[in-house]
C-alpha cells in the first residue's frame, strides 16, 4: 500500500507532496506516507502549503515556511481573512505584501485581533486609505496588543505632537512607531537628560525612525553631544541628535575634516553645527562644491557660511548660484551696500527674493536682472539634471 502511494507515476500524488518528500526534513517515513494525498483534500496536512502557493503565489519554500505559522485545514478561515481585508480597502497586491510578512494573519480572528486596531485609528481621524498605508507599511503592528502597546505609544507621541492629525501623519511616515520596543524608553531617557520638548517634537515629526535604536546607544549619543558643548535645552539639539545618529562616527569626523580643509577651526565647525546641525548631513562633495563656488568663484569669505550653514542644504545649481549672480551684479553696480547681509538673499522665498532684489529697481535694471536670474535658473536646471543622471 505504501509503495503504491509513493510511486512516482501515481497521479494522486500532489505537487506539494512531491516537494515534501524530496526535502530531507527529519520526518518519519510514516508521516510522509500520510501526507501524500491530493491537495484537493482539505484535511491534508499540506493543505496550508497548497493554499499559500495557489492563492497567494508563494514559492514552495516560502509556502512551507509560512505553513508552520498558521492553523487551518480548510479554506474557510483564510478565505474569510482575505475577504476581511478586501472589504476594508486593501487591494490584492496589498494583501499579498501583508501576508508574506505576517502569514499568521490567515488563521487569526480578524474581528477580535485586527478590526479593533483599525477602528482605533479611524476614531483618531485616520482615513481608510491611511489605515491601508499604515498596515502595508508595517503589518507587525496588528500583532501588538491594542491596550498594552498601540494605545500607550499613540498617546505618548500625541503628548508631544499635540494633535491627532500630526500623530497620524507621523505614523503614516513611519508605521513602525506603533509597535516600537524602543520609542517609549528612548523618549523618556531624552526627557530625563534635559532634551527640550521642541527637540523631541522635531524628531517625531521629521525622522522618528532615527530613535529606533537601543537605549544605551541613544543615551551615549546624547551624552557625547552634551560633552561637545551642545545644550539639550536648546531647540537645535534635536537636529544635532538627528545628524549624530544619522552618521557613523567616521563619517561625522570626515565632515568636520572637510570643513576644516576650508580654513575653519574645530571651534568654528562646532559653532556652525550649533547654528544649523543639518549641515552635517550634506555630503563631503556637496560641502566642497558650495565652498568652492563661494570662495573660489565669488571670492567671498567662507566665514559668512559659519553664520549661515543652512546654505549647505540648498541646491547649488538652482538656488545658490542664480541668486549669487544677482547679488554680485547689484554689488558691482553699487545698487546694494557692501555692509548689507550677504546671506539674507539666499534664505528668503522665491517670491520675496524677486520682490527685494530684482523687481524693486527701475524698469531697465529690473528687466536685465530678471533675464540674468532666469538664464542662471535655466542653466542650473540643466546642470542639476546632468548631475542626477551622472
Amino acid at each position: 500500500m505504501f509503495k503504491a502511494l509513493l510511486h512516482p507515476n501515481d497521479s494522486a500524488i500532489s505537487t506539494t507532496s512531491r516537494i515534501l518528500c524530496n526535502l530531507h526534513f527529519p520526518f518519519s517515513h510514516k508521516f510522509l506516507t500520510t501526507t501524500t494525498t491530493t491537495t484537493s483534500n482539505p484535511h491534508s496536512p499540506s493543505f496550508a502549503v497548497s493554499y499559500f502557493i495557489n492563492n497567494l503565489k508563494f514559492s514552495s519554500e516560502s509556502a512551507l515556511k509560512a505553513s508552520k505559522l498558521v492553523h487551518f485545514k480548510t479554506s474557510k478561515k483564510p478565505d474569510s481573512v482575505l475577504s476581511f481585508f478586501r472589504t476594508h480597502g486593501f487591494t490584492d497586491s496589498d494583501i499579498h505584501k501583508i501576508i508574506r510578512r505576517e502569514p499568521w494573519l490567515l488563521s487569526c480572528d480578524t474581528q477580535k485581533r485586527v478590526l479593533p486596531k483599525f477602528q482605533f485609528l479611524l476614531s483618531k481621524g485616520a482615513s481608510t486609505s491611511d489605515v491601508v498605508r499604515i498596515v502595508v507599511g508595517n503589518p507587525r503592528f496588528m500583532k501588538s496588543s491594542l491596550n498594552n502597546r498601540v494605545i500607550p505609544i499613540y498617546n505618548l507621541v500625541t503628548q508631544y505632537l499635540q494633535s491627532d492629525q500630526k500623530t497620524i501623519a507621523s505614523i503614516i511616515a513611519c508605521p513602525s512607531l506603533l509597535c516600537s520596543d524602543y520609542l517609549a524608553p528612548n523618549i523618556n531617557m531624552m526627557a530625563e537628560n534635559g532634551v527640550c520638548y521642541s527637540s523631541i517634537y522635531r524628531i517625531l515629526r521629521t525622522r522618528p525612525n532615527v530613535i529606533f535604536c537601543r537605549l544605551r546607544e541613544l543615551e551615549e549619543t546624547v551624552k557625547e553631544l552634551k560633552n561637545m558643548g551642545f545644550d539639550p535645552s536648546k531647540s537645535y539639539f534635536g537636529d544635532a541628535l538627528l545628524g549624530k545618529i544619522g552618521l557613523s562616527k567616521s563619517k561625522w569626523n570626515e565632515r568636520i575634516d572637510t570643513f576644516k580643509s576650508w580654513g575653519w577651526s574645530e571651534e568654528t565647525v562646532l559653532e556652525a553645527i550649533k547654528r544649523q546641525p543639518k549641515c552635517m548631513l550634506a555630503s563631503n562633495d556637496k560641502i566642497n562644491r558650495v565652498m568652492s563656488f563661494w570662495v573660489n568663484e565669488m571670492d567671498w569669505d567662507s566665514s559668512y557660511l559659519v553664520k549661515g550653514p543652512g546654505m549647505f542644504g540648498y541646491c547649488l545649481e538652482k538656488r545658490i548660484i542664480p541668486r549669487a549672480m544677482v547679488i554680485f551684479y547689484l554689488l558691482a553696480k553699487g545698487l546694494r551696500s557692501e555692509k548689507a547681509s550677504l546671506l539674507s538673499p539666499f534664505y528668503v522665498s522665491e517670491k520675496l527674493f524677486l520682490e527685494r532684489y530684482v523687481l524693486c529697481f527701475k524698469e531697465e535694471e529690473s528687466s536685465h536682472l530678471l533675464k540674468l536670474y532666469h538664464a542662471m535658473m535655466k542653466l542650473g536646471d540643466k546642470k542639476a539634471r546632468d548631475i542626477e543622471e551622472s
Side-chain angles (χ1 to χ4, degrees):
M1 176 181 177
F2 292 147
K3 288 182 178 180
L5 284 171
L6 293 173
H7 195 282
N9 296 320
D10 192 334
S11 60
I13 300 178
S14 68
T15 302
T16 306
S17 297
R18 289 195 191 97
I19 294 169
L20 287 171
C21 290
N22 291 329
L23 277 175
H24 307 302
F25 281 121
F27 299 146
S28 68
H29 182 73
K30 180 179 178 181
F31 180 79
L32 285 174
T33 58
T34 59
T35 62
T36 52
T37 57
T38 64
T39 54
S40 61
N41 178 3
H43 297 291
S44 165
S46 63
F47 178 74
V49 176
S50 297
Y51 193 92
F52 281 112
I53 293 173
N54 298 330
N55 294 66
L56 294 159
K57 310 304 179 185
F58 275 42
S59 66
S60 300
E61 183 180 356
S62 297
L64 282 167
K65 186 177 180 180
S67 68
K68 299 174 183 179
L69 304 175
V70 296
H71 305 284
F72 58 81
K73 294 183 178 181
T74 72
S75 63
K76 183 178 179 180
K77 168 57 71 174
D79 282 351
S80 70
V81 172
L82 299 185
S83 177
F84 168 84
F85 281 106
R86 289 188 184 108
T87 59
H88 284 83
F90 293 80
T91 65
D92 285 346
S93 176
D94 294 332
I95 296 170
H96 291 174
K97 291 176 183 176
I98 292 168
I99 300 302
R100 283 183 183 280
R101 292 175 62 181
E102 303 294 335
W104 61 271
L105 285 165
L106 282 188
S107 59
C108 82
D109 186 337
T110 53
Q111 298 299 312
K112 292 182 178 180
R113 194 78 182 272
V114 180
L115 183 59
K117 297 183 180 72
F118 287 8
Q119 292 173 331
F120 172 75
L121 292 174
L122 291 169
S123 73
K124 297 300 181 179
S127 65
T128 300
S129 61
D130 290 338
V131 173
V132 171
R133 290 172 66 186
I134 291 169
V135 173
V136 173
N138 182 33
R140 189 168 75 92
F141 116 87
M142 290 181 288
K143 185 182 287 187
S144 302
S145 166
L146 176 62
N147 294 320
N148 297 330
R149 175 63 65 85
V150 176
I151 292 178
I153 288 178
Y154 184 93
N155 290 339
L156 177 62
V157 174
T158 306
Q159 175 184 330
Y160 285 92
L161 300 188
Q162 294 293 301
S163 82
D164 288 318
Q165 183 181 8
K166 291 178 181 178
T167 300
I168 292 296
S170 289
I171 292 171
I172 291 172
C174 183
S176 298
L177 267 178
L178 287 178
C179 57
S180 169
D181 294 325
Y182 305 115
L183 186 68
N186 282 347
I187 287 179
N188 292 333
M189 180 278 296
M190 286 191 290
E192 290 170 1
N193 275 272
V195 179
C196 65
Y197 170 93
S198 61
S199 289
I200 298 175
Y201 170 92
R202 189 168 301 164
I203 292 171
L204 291 173
R205 279 289 283 161
T206 57
R207 295 175 64 198
N209 59 306
V210 168
I211 56 174
F212 289 177
C213 56
R214 296 187 181 281
L215 178 61
R216 180 176 296 179
E217 179 185 347
L218 184 63
E219 190 170 21
E220 288 176 354
T221 304
V222 170
K223 290 180 179 178
E224 185 177 355
L225 286 173
K226 290 169 72 174
N227 291 336
M228 291 170 63
F230 289 86
D231 186 348
S233 67
K234 303 297 183 182
S235 59
Y236 65 67
F237 193 86
D239 285 334
L241 191 60
L242 289 174
K244 199 73 174 69
I245 295 176
L247 294 173
S248 65
K249 186 174 183 179
S250 61
K251 288 189 178 298
W252 178 273
N253 291 332
E254 282 178 10
R255 298 292 190 276
I256 292 178
D257 288 340
T258 300
F259 283 120
K260 289 169 71 175
S261 71
W262 288 94
W264 290 11
S265 65
E266 190 91 23
E267 294 74 18
T268 302
V269 176
L270 287 178
E271 181 185 343
I273 298 173
K274 289 177 181 179
R275 288 177 181 274
Q276 180 48 271
K278 289 182 180 179
C279 69
M280 293 296 282
L281 298 178
S283 68
N284 292 322
D285 177 64
K286 176 67 175 295
I287 294 169
N288 283 325
R289 288 194 299 118
V290 171
M291 283 288 201
S292 180
F293 172 76
W294 191 271
V295 176
N296 298 332
E297 300 297 326
M298 301 306 298
D299 198 26
W300 290 340
D301 198 315
S302 68
S303 63
Y304 282 106
L305 296 178
V306 175
K307 299 177 181 179
M311 294 283 283
F312 296 101
Y314 291 142
C315 179
L316 177 64
E317 292 74 23
K318 294 195 288 186
R319 188 183 187 105
I320 298 176
I321 293 178
R323 296 192 181 193
M325 291 297 99
V326 170
I327 301 305
F328 184 82
Y329 178 89
L330 294 177
L331 289 170
K333 290 290 185 176
L335 298 174
R336 181 172 174 77
S337 171
E338 292 186 359
K339 294 182 179 180
S341 171
L342 193 57
L343 295 172
S344 57
F346 298 92
Y347 283 89
V348 297
S349 67
E350 176 78 0
K351 180 181 177 182
L352 284 178
F353 178 80
L354 291 173
E355 289 177 356
R356 295 177 182 178
Y357 307 103
V358 177
L359 303 177
C360 60
F361 299 99
K362 292 180 180 180
E363 184 176 349
E364 183 179 350
E365 208 71 69
S366 292
S367 177
H368 179 76
L369 283 168
L370 195 59
K371 288 179 181 178
L372 171 65
Y373 183 64
H374 285 164
M376 297 309 300
M377 286 290 286
K378 186 176 181 180
L379 187 63
D381 284 336
K382 183 180 183 304
K383 181 69 174 177
R385 285 197 299 271
D386 292 342
I387 292 174
E388 290 174 0
E389 293 172 0
S390 63

PDB file of all heavy atoms in Angstrom, residues 138-155:
ATOM      1  N   ASN A 138       3.660  48.470   7.821  1.00  0.00           N
ATOM      2  CA  ASN A 138       4.130  47.727   8.994  1.00  0.00           C
ATOM      3  C   ASN A 138       3.054  46.772   9.495  1.00  0.00           C
ATOM      4  O   ASN A 138       2.375  47.050  10.484  1.00  0.00           O
ATOM      5  CB  ASN A 138       4.530  48.694  10.115  1.00  0.00           C
ATOM      6  CG  ASN A 138       5.072  47.949  11.327  1.00  0.00           C
ATOM      7  OD1 ASN A 138       5.692  46.906  11.193  1.00  0.00           O
ATOM      8  ND2 ASN A 138       4.814  48.473  12.507  1.00  0.00           N
ATOM      9  N   PRO A 139       2.892  45.628   8.836  1.00  0.00           N
ATOM     10  CA  PRO A 139       1.865  44.667   9.243  1.00  0.00           C
ATOM     11  C   PRO A 139       2.048  44.135  10.662  1.00  0.00           C
ATOM     12  O   PRO A 139       1.094  43.670  11.280  1.00  0.00           O
ATOM     13  CB  PRO A 139       2.009  43.529   8.220  1.00  0.00           C
ATOM     14  CG  PRO A 139       2.724  44.139   7.066  1.00  0.00           C
ATOM     15  CD  PRO A 139       3.629  45.180   7.653  1.00  0.00           C
ATOM     16  N   ARG A 140       3.281  44.226  11.189  1.00  0.00           N
ATOM     17  CA  ARG A 140       3.556  43.672  12.522  1.00  0.00           C
ATOM     18  C   ARG A 140       2.740  44.352  13.609  1.00  0.00           C
ATOM     19  O   ARG A 140       2.490  43.773  14.668  1.00  0.00           O
ATOM     20  CB  ARG A 140       5.054  43.807  12.840  1.00  0.00           C
ATOM     21  CG  ARG A 140       5.485  43.060  14.101  1.00  0.00           C
ATOM     22  CD  ARG A 140       6.994  42.991  14.182  1.00  0.00           C
ATOM     23  NE  ARG A 140       7.580  44.262  14.570  1.00  0.00           N
ATOM     24  CZ  ARG A 140       7.836  44.603  15.840  1.00  0.00           C
ATOM     25  NH1 ARG A 140       7.521  43.781  16.821  1.00  0.00           N
ATOM     26  NH2 ARG A 140       8.390  45.758  16.118  1.00  0.00           N
ATOM     27  N   PHE A 141       2.290  45.590  13.326  1.00  0.00           N
ATOM     28  CA  PHE A 141       1.543  46.300  14.359  1.00  0.00           C
ATOM     29  C   PHE A 141       0.239  45.579  14.695  1.00  0.00           C
ATOM     30  O   PHE A 141      -0.295  45.722  15.789  1.00  0.00           O
ATOM     31  CB  PHE A 141       1.306  47.754  13.910  1.00  0.00           C
ATOM     32  CG  PHE A 141      -0.121  48.159  13.700  1.00  0.00           C
ATOM     33  CD1 PHE A 141      -0.880  48.622  14.753  1.00  0.00           C
ATOM     34  CD2 PHE A 141      -0.707  48.089  12.435  1.00  0.00           C
ATOM     35  CE1 PHE A 141      -2.195  49.021  14.560  1.00  0.00           C
ATOM     36  CE2 PHE A 141      -2.017  48.486  12.239  1.00  0.00           C
ATOM     37  CZ  PHE A 141      -2.772  48.948  13.308  1.00  0.00           C
ATOM     38  N   MET A 142      -0.267  44.758  13.763  1.00  0.00           N
ATOM     39  CA  MET A 142      -1.506  44.031  14.020  1.00  0.00           C
ATOM     40  C   MET A 142      -1.314  42.906  15.034  1.00  0.00           C
ATOM     41  O   MET A 142      -2.269  42.384  15.585  1.00  0.00           O
ATOM     42  CB  MET A 142      -2.068  43.470  12.706  1.00  0.00           C
ATOM     43  CG  MET A 142      -2.608  44.551  11.779  1.00  0.00           C
ATOM     44  SD  MET A 142      -3.312  43.906  10.243  1.00  0.00           S
ATOM     45  CE  MET A 142      -1.821  43.395   9.391  1.00  0.00           C
ATOM     46  N   LYS A 143      -0.066  42.559  15.284  1.00  0.00           N
ATOM     47  CA  LYS A 143       0.221  41.525  16.286  1.00  0.00           C
ATOM     48  C   LYS A 143       0.321  42.125  17.685  1.00  0.00           C
ATOM     49  O   LYS A 143       0.181  41.431  18.685  1.00  0.00           O
ATOM     50  CB  LYS A 143       1.527  40.815  15.925  1.00  0.00           C
ATOM     51  CG  LYS A 143       1.877  39.649  16.821  1.00  0.00           C
ATOM     52  CD  LYS A 143       3.211  39.027  16.414  1.00  0.00           C
ATOM     53  CE  LYS A 143       3.080  38.240  15.131  1.00  0.00           C
ATOM     54  NZ  LYS A 143       4.321  37.494  14.799  1.00  0.00           N
ATOM     55  N   SER A 144       0.554  43.438  17.746  1.00  0.00           N
ATOM     56  CA  SER A 144       0.733  44.107  19.036  1.00  0.00           C
ATOM     57  C   SER A 144      -0.591  44.239  19.782  1.00  0.00           C
ATOM     58  O   SER A 144      -1.656  44.344  19.168  1.00  0.00           O
ATOM     59  CB  SER A 144       1.335  45.498  18.823  1.00  0.00           C
ATOM     60  OG  SER A 144       2.563  45.426  18.155  1.00  0.00           O
ATOM     61  N   SER A 145      -0.500  44.290  21.091  1.00  0.00           N
ATOM     62  CA  SER A 145      -1.684  44.481  21.918  1.00  0.00           C
ATOM     63  C   SER A 145      -2.198  45.905  21.764  1.00  0.00           C
ATOM     64  O   SER A 145      -1.425  46.861  21.890  1.00  0.00           O
ATOM     65  CB  SER A 145      -1.355  44.197  23.381  1.00  0.00           C
ATOM     66  OG  SER A 145      -2.385  44.668  24.229  1.00  0.00           O
ATOM     67  N   LEU A 146      -3.481  46.050  21.503  1.00  0.00           N
ATOM     68  CA  LEU A 146      -4.064  47.381  21.338  1.00  0.00           C
ATOM     69  C   LEU A 146      -3.951  48.182  22.625  1.00  0.00           C
ATOM     70  O   LEU A 146      -3.503  49.335  22.620  1.00  0.00           O
ATOM     71  CB  LEU A 146      -5.530  47.274  20.907  1.00  0.00           C
ATOM     72  CG  LEU A 146      -6.295  48.594  20.783  1.00  0.00           C
ATOM     73  CD1 LEU A 146      -5.671  49.476  19.715  1.00  0.00           C
ATOM     74  CD2 LEU A 146      -7.775  48.332  20.469  1.00  0.00           C
ATOM     75  N   ASN A 147      -4.356  47.585  23.732  1.00  0.00           N
ATOM     76  CA  ASN A 147      -4.389  48.305  25.010  1.00  0.00           C
ATOM     77  C   ASN A 147      -3.020  48.452  25.664  1.00  0.00           C
ATOM     78  O   ASN A 147      -2.752  49.456  26.329  1.00  0.00           O
ATOM     79  CB  ASN A 147      -5.347  47.602  25.976  1.00  0.00           C
ATOM     80  CG  ASN A 147      -6.783  47.685  25.506  1.00  0.00           C
ATOM     81  OD1 ASN A 147      -7.228  48.718  25.010  1.00  0.00           O
ATOM     82  ND2 ASN A 147      -7.522  46.591  25.664  1.00  0.00           N
ATOM     83  N   ASN A 148      -2.156  47.461  25.491  1.00  0.00           N
ATOM     84  CA  ASN A 148      -0.866  47.480  26.180  1.00  0.00           C
ATOM     85  C   ASN A 148       0.274  48.076  25.365  1.00  0.00           C
ATOM     86  O   ASN A 148       1.306  48.446  25.920  1.00  0.00           O
ATOM     87  CB  ASN A 148      -0.478  46.060  26.608  1.00  0.00           C
ATOM     88  CG  ASN A 148      -1.460  45.483  27.601  1.00  0.00           C
ATOM     89  OD1 ASN A 148      -2.075  46.199  28.380  1.00  0.00           O
ATOM     90  ND2 ASN A 148      -1.636  44.161  27.563  1.00  0.00           N
ATOM     91  N   ARG A 149       0.103  48.164  24.049  1.00  0.00           N
ATOM     92  CA  ARG A 149       1.186  48.672  23.218  1.00  0.00           C
ATOM     93  C   ARG A 149       0.734  49.819  22.314  1.00  0.00           C
ATOM     94  O   ARG A 149       1.268  50.929  22.381  1.00  0.00           O
ATOM     95  CB  ARG A 149       1.785  47.537  22.370  1.00  0.00           C
ATOM     96  CG  ARG A 149       2.853  47.976  21.361  1.00  0.00           C
ATOM     97  CD  ARG A 149       4.078  48.580  22.032  1.00  0.00           C
ATOM     98  NE  ARG A 149       4.783  47.618  22.822  1.00  0.00           N
ATOM     99  CZ  ARG A 149       5.708  46.771  22.361  1.00  0.00           C
ATOM    100  NH1 ARG A 149       6.029  46.801  21.088  1.00  0.00           N
ATOM    101  NH2 ARG A 149       6.304  45.922  23.148  1.00  0.00           N
ATOM    102  N   VAL A 150      -0.243  49.574  21.450  1.00  0.00           N
ATOM    103  CA  VAL A 150      -0.615  50.560  20.437  1.00  0.00           C
ATOM    104  C   VAL A 150      -1.126  51.866  21.051  1.00  0.00           C
ATOM    105  O   VAL A 150      -0.636  52.959  20.726  1.00  0.00           O
ATOM    106  CB  VAL A 150      -1.678  49.983  19.470  1.00  0.00           C
ATOM    107  CG1 VAL A 150      -2.136  51.062  18.479  1.00  0.00           C
ATOM    108  CG2 VAL A 150      -1.115  48.780  18.728  1.00  0.00           C
ATOM    109  N   ILE A 151      -2.099  51.768  21.936  1.00  0.00           N
ATOM    110  CA  ILE A 151      -2.684  52.988  22.518  1.00  0.00           C
ATOM    111  C   ILE A 151      -1.674  53.760  23.366  1.00  0.00           C
ATOM    112  O   ILE A 151      -1.569  54.989  23.241  1.00  0.00           O
ATOM    113  CB  ILE A 151      -3.947  52.647  23.329  1.00  0.00           C
ATOM    114  CG1 ILE A 151      -5.061  52.183  22.378  1.00  0.00           C
ATOM    115  CG2 ILE A 151      -4.428  53.855  24.135  1.00  0.00           C
ATOM    116  CD1 ILE A 151      -6.348  51.763  23.063  1.00  0.00           C
ATOM    117  N   PRO A 152      -0.892  53.099  24.264  1.00  0.00           N
ATOM    118  CA  PRO A 152       0.104  53.856  25.034  1.00  0.00           C
ATOM    119  C   PRO A 152       1.125  54.579  24.153  1.00  0.00           C
ATOM    120  O   PRO A 152       1.488  55.719  24.440  1.00  0.00           O
ATOM    121  CB  PRO A 152       0.770  52.771  25.892  1.00  0.00           C
ATOM    122  CG  PRO A 152      -0.273  51.730  26.053  1.00  0.00           C
ATOM    123  CD  PRO A 152      -0.993  51.699  24.733  1.00  0.00           C
ATOM    124  N   ILE A 153       1.598  53.924  23.090  1.00  0.00           N
ATOM    125  CA  ILE A 153       2.555  54.573  22.196  1.00  0.00           C
ATOM    126  C   ILE A 153       1.902  55.740  21.470  1.00  0.00           C
ATOM    127  O   ILE A 153       2.478  56.824  21.352  1.00  0.00           O
ATOM    128  CB  ILE A 153       3.133  53.559  21.178  1.00  0.00           C
ATOM    129  CG1 ILE A 153       4.089  52.606  21.882  1.00  0.00           C
ATOM    130  CG2 ILE A 153       3.842  54.279  20.038  1.00  0.00           C
ATOM    131  CD1 ILE A 153       4.686  51.543  20.987  1.00  0.00           C
ATOM    132  N   TYR A 154       0.676  55.530  21.008  1.00  0.00           N
ATOM    133  CA  TYR A 154      -0.046  56.604  20.319  1.00  0.00           C
ATOM    134  C   TYR A 154      -0.199  57.813  21.242  1.00  0.00           C
ATOM    135  O   TYR A 154       0.048  58.951  20.838  1.00  0.00           O
ATOM    136  CB  TYR A 154      -1.422  56.111  19.863  1.00  0.00           C
ATOM    137  CG  TYR A 154      -2.186  57.148  19.063  1.00  0.00           C
ATOM    138  CD1 TYR A 154      -2.118  57.177  17.678  1.00  0.00           C
ATOM    139  CD2 TYR A 154      -2.961  58.123  19.705  1.00  0.00           C
ATOM    140  CE1 TYR A 154      -2.797  58.143  16.947  1.00  0.00           C
ATOM    141  CE2 TYR A 154      -3.633  59.097  18.980  1.00  0.00           C
ATOM    142  CZ  TYR A 154      -3.544  59.094  17.609  1.00  0.00           C
ATOM    143  OH  TYR A 154      -4.210  60.065  16.888  1.00  0.00           O
ATOM    144  N   ASN A 155      -0.588  57.565  22.471  1.00  0.00           N
ATOM    145  CA  ASN A 155      -0.786  58.662  23.427  1.00  0.00           C
ATOM    146  C   ASN A 155       0.523  59.383  23.745  1.00  0.00           C
ATOM    147  O   ASN A 155       0.536  60.609  23.929  1.00  0.00           O
ATOM    148  CB  ASN A 155      -1.419  58.136  24.719  1.00  0.00           C
ATOM    149  CG  ASN A 155      -2.865  57.713  24.519  1.00  0.00           C
ATOM    150  OD1 ASN A 155      -3.525  58.141  23.565  1.00  0.00           O
ATOM    151  ND2 ASN A 155      -3.368  56.871  25.399  1.00  0.00           N
TER     152      ASN A 155
END
